[in-house]
Amino acid sequence: MATVALTPDQDTINVEIQIAAPPARVFAAITDPRQVPQWWGQQGMYRITNWKNDLRPGGKWRSEGSGGDGKPFHVEGEYLEVDPPRLLVHTWNPSYRELPATVVRWELQVHDGGTLVKLSHSGFAGHAEAARDHSQGWVRVLGWMQAFVEENATVETRAA
């Protein structure tokens, strides 16, 4: 189960989860265009249907999906730091909400025979509602990723 905390200034979301798999496996789950659409989402909520990326500093990435209402959305950004399998930092620009540029940082650390995933998403100052919504979203997303990596649960096989 992921834990989440919002900084007092409501600028940064910090989420942690322990995954029973090595960092290389977790890194692949969050960067491989074939894997991301398998686990990112839930029936009746929202899901990623396509993921494209150029996994290098300065490279672009883009996810496309559909909301629970069937409306399409996308999120895109640029990789700022890429150090497999330990670190991934990228910008986050969603089509579903007007936000200033935000930054997502994934840190993967060997811990207790698996991987401690530390995710921080910053840049929400002045956008408290967006910070709260994204904090709930990241808890869900990391839970889906954990189920995929540990149990091979996908959007199609996971119970809603």
Side-chain angles (χ1 to χ4, degrees), residues 17-36:
I17 193 167
Q18 178 71 26
I19 308 284
R25 175 68 190 98
V26 175
F27 194 88
I30 62 176
T31 59
D32 182 345
R34 295 177 308 270
Q35 293 185 46
V36 176

Side-chain angles (χ1 to χ4, degrees), residues 13-59:
I13 301 159
N14 292 301
V15 189
E16 290 188 7
I17 193 167
Q18 178 71 26
I19 308 284
R25 175 68 190 98
V26 175
F27 194 88
I30 62 176
T31 59
D32 182 345
R34 295 177 308 270
Q35 293 185 46
V36 176
Q38 292 182 56
W39 63 264
W40 195 309
Q42 183 172 311
Q43 300 291 348
M45 187 174 284
Y46 57 84
R47 70 171 296 178
I48 299 299
T49 55
N50 190 30
W51 181 277
K52 299 176 189 169
N53 67 352
D54 179 6
L55 191 59
R56 61 180 178 82

Side-chain angles (χ1 to χ4, degrees), residues 40 61 75-77 90-94 96 101-102 104 121 134 138:
W40 195 309
W61 69 272
V75 183
E76 58 192 6
H90 58 81
T91 58
W92 179 271
N93 301 305
Y96 54 82
T102 58
V104 177
H121 191 168
H134 279 80
W138 281 119

Side-chain angles (χ1 to χ4, degrees), residues 6 49 83 94 114 128 154 157:
L6 197 53
T49 55
D83 184 12
T154 67
T157 64

